[in-house]
Amino acid sequence: MAAAITASVLVLLVAGAGWAYLQLNGNISIFGADGLSADRPATGAGSNVLVIGSDSRSGGNSALGGGEGDIGRSDTAFLLHIYGDGKHAVAVSFPRDTLVDIPPCKLPNGSWTQPRTNVMFNSAFTVGETAKGNPACTQNTVEKLTGLRVDHTVVVDFEGFSKVTAAVGGVPVCLPKEVYQGDLNPNRGSKGNVIFPKGRQTVSGQKALDYVRLRHGIGDGSDIGRIKRQQAFVSSLIKKVKSEGVNPSTLLPLANAAVESMTVDPGLGTADKLISFAMSLKDIDLHNTKFVTVPWRYQGARVAIVHSQADALWAALRADRTVDGKDASGKPQHGNKGDDGKRGANTSASPGDSVSGAGISVAVYNGTTVTGLAARAAGDLKTAGFTVTGTATASTQDHATTVIAHGPGQEGQARTVARLFPGAQLQQSTAVGISITLGQSYADDPGPAASASSDVPPDVPADAADKARSADDNPCSDLSYG
């Protein structure tokens, strides 16, 4: 449950200019690079930092996290790609239950494991079952999955996150409903007392940790929903740091709090190296930093990667292109057209790109024999801001591809809908309105719809998204998370 404790590192990286004031000698822990694979991707454009949240219960973490044992475990993690122009970055989150292939990893006794296929992402960190975990194994896994060379890896634990949020004086958040003790710990057996009141508030320390670890009681109860809230929290945390200004009195306690609970690769193992690296990021602003989740779909109780979309995302990052297709290498450009020389030829969303359906109403029909497909698509559409007028089974269930029908004058809106359904066909009809008939192609590969972003506050459940935009009693309805 430690995905969002990685926030502290991202804050320090984005607020990098302040490192020039800091003296951090003696607080930095380093993991050995001898566990990295000998077969690594080539160095590419830009640079990549892997940030891992450890929920080890050893040391000072035992009083913060719950759970038992002192084996280092990871929850979600993210890969921060810093573009070559030094002004843009994107953080790609990996849900903890994502099914991946784990390459050979080094054990404490010096031997190497056999490759494993179709196992959970977070299991890489536990290889060897040591208190500090196995960050080299997680790095090997990410490099194998993405084809991107990881330049640096950073691990942060519960205690580090708690101290960072306290050092900045707390982070503003907003909850659309009250949250109880039983929501934080479903095994409690009772509702318990209120731990978070409804509305706007500032959280720090243990309270901040509880907020980002919550999965029940708010949102859709999934790890994916929690990641969205954690990404929003990171944005609020960065804004708070920057609002305080870059000065020693502000950043020294923040940096010390984080570094005391950080483990880094040898390339960041001294204060000078950390300062040098962070200074290289001083021109990255929050509005040029995107937070996305690796394209995914549910596979039973686990999360499977939608490789057609993920592979496009990795290719874009290797080419130093932003998620909306722009070149961010900092090199002189000679036009910005696609391979076919036409602008706007592809209506599907770029990997991780945001699609807004505000003001667009659609009806959804299941044109396949896959149970629950229309409900799944409706949930994705609502998350992206569309109004779903209804779901039903289509007259026939033999549709191979998804068809989006639209009335006169609604082609533009239909094309917006189509951005969530790669390969969908547009058809004009005489009836007013837009309808989606889902085909087997969507059942096999839901594409960007499965991870569509939304301007609805992350704590608002997907099935209440429309109400959240207009309900007068929702104290978070006008909140922007950047």
Side-chain angles (χ1 to χ4, degrees):
M1 301 179 182
I5 60 180
T6 54
S8 56
V9 173
L10 190 56
V11 168
L12 297 178
L13 296 183
V14 177
W19 285 86
Y21 297 98
L22 308 181
Q23 296 178 349
L24 305 173
N25 295 315
N27 291 332
I28 304 170
S29 297
I30 305 170
F31 71 86
D34 55 344
L36 298 180
S37 172
D39 182 20
R40 301 182 62 191
T43 300
S47 59
N48 302 292
V49 182
L50 175 62
V51 185
I52 306 168
S54 167
D55 62 1
S56 169
R57 272 62 173 182
S58 62
N61 297 292
S62 59
L64 296 171
E68 298 178 354
D70 59 0
I71 295 174
R73 297 179 176 85
S74 74
D75 211 306
T76 56
F78 64 76
L79 183 67
L80 181 70
H81 179 76
I82 302 124
Y83 291 95
D85 66 357
K87 298 179 180 179
H88 295 77
V90 60
V92 184
S93 294
F94 300 96
R96 61 179 182 174
D97 292 346
T98 304
L99 297 174
V100 299
D101 294 339
I102 297 180
C105 293
K106 190 175 182 179
L107 295 169
N109 64 9
S111 64
W112 289 72
T113 63
Q114 293 296 313
R116 291 187 290 163
T117 60
N118 209 39
V119 295
M120 291 198 304
F121 176 83
N122 66 345
S123 66
F125 195 74
T126 63
V127 169
E129 298 188 342
T130 63
K132 288 189 173 296
N134 197 331
C137 186
T138 302
Q139 179 174 325
N140 291 342
T141 302
V142 170
E143 290 189 337
K144 177 179 176 59
L145 172 65
T146 66
L148 290 157
R149 189 180 184 93
V150 175
D151 299 284
H152 297 295
T153 292
V154 180
V155 183
V156 188
D157 63 19
F158 276 158
E159 191 174 18
F161 175 77
S162 178
K163 288 182 177 179
V164 164
T165 57
V168 300
V171 178
V173 299
C174 187
L175 289 95
K177 57 187 292 188
E178 293 180 335
V179 176
Y180 295 83
Q181 290 173 313
D183 297 321
L184 181 63
N185 179 14
N187 297 322
R188 176 185 173 88
S190 65
K191 191 174 183 179
N193 298 323
V194 173
I195 56 174
F196 291 104
K198 177 180 178 179
R200 300 170 187 262
Q201 55 208 278
T202 298
V203 297
S204 65
Q206 179 73 61
K207 294 283 286 186
L209 186 59
D210 290 344
Y211 173 81
V212 297
R213 293 179 64 221
L214 273 171
R215 193 172 71 182
H216 304 281
I218 54 177
D220 60 4
S222 71
D223 197 46
I224 303 297
R226 181 168 55 178
I227 286 175
K228 292 179 180 179
R229 184 171 69 255
Q230 292 167 349
Q231 291 170 340
F233 187 89
V234 171
S235 295
S236 293
L237 183 52
I238 293 171
K239 288 179 181 177
K240 181 64 181 294
V241 172
K242 286 184 172 281
S243 70
E244 297 293 329
V246 178
N247 59 72
S249 62
T250 299
L251 289 179
L252 183 55
L254 174 64
N256 281 328
V259 171
E260 287 175 358
S261 300
M262 282 172 50
T263 301
V264 299
D265 68 274
L268 294 177
T270 67
D272 286 344
K273 290 177 179 178
L274 279 171
I275 291 170
S276 177
F277 175 68
M279 285 297 290
S280 71
L281 310 179
K282 63 183 177 62
D283 293 328
I284 299 177
D285 203 352
L286 182 59
H287 73 273
N288 286 330
T289 304
K290 283 188 174 291
F291 302 90
V292 302
T293 303
V294 62
W296 62 278
R297 61 179 175 83
Y298 283 118
Q299 183 169 308
R302 304 300 181 212
V303 172
I305 294 174
V306 180
H307 286 284
S308 60
Q309 297 295 319
D311 290 347
L313 174 59
W314 311 139
L317 297 185
R318 287 194 295 269
D320 225 24
R321 301 190 73 82
T322 61
V323 294
D324 58 0
K326 297 179 181 179
D327 189 300
S329 64
K331 300 177 181 178
Q333 301 302 304
H334 303 285
N336 191 31
K337 295 183 179 181
D339 294 339
D340 60 0
K342 298 178 181 179
R343 297 182 184 272
N346 182 7
T347 59
S348 65
S350 301
D353 200 5
S354 175
V355 179
S356 174
I360 303 177
S361 298
V362 296
V364 185
Y365 299 91
N366 187 353
T368 76
T369 58
V370 179
T371 303
L373 200 63
R376 184 173 77 184
D380 294 331
L381 286 159
K382 290 177 181 179
T383 300
F386 294 86
T387 298
V388 177
T389 59
T391 61
T393 301
S395 56
T396 60
Q397 287 77 57
D398 58 355
H399 289 258
T401 59
T402 297
V403 176
I404 301 174
H406 62 88
Q410 294 181 301
E411 181 178 353
Q413 291 185 335
R415 287 188 175 277
T416 299
V417 176
R419 294 182 64 206
L420 292 184
F421 301 90
Q425 298 176 355
L426 297 184
Q427 288 184 359
Q428 183 168 341
S429 67
T430 57
V432 176
I434 298 174
S435 65
I436 306 170
T437 302
L438 300 169
Q440 189 62 39
S441 58
Y442 174 76
D444 295 338
D445 184 355
S451 55
S453 62
S454 172
D455 59 352
V456 177
D459 285 338
V460 180
D463 61 2
D466 295 329
K467 294 179 182 178
R469 285 184 167 78
S470 58
D472 293 334
D473 62 348
N474 178 11
C476 308
S477 60
D478 63 339
L479 189 62
S480 172
Y481 281 89

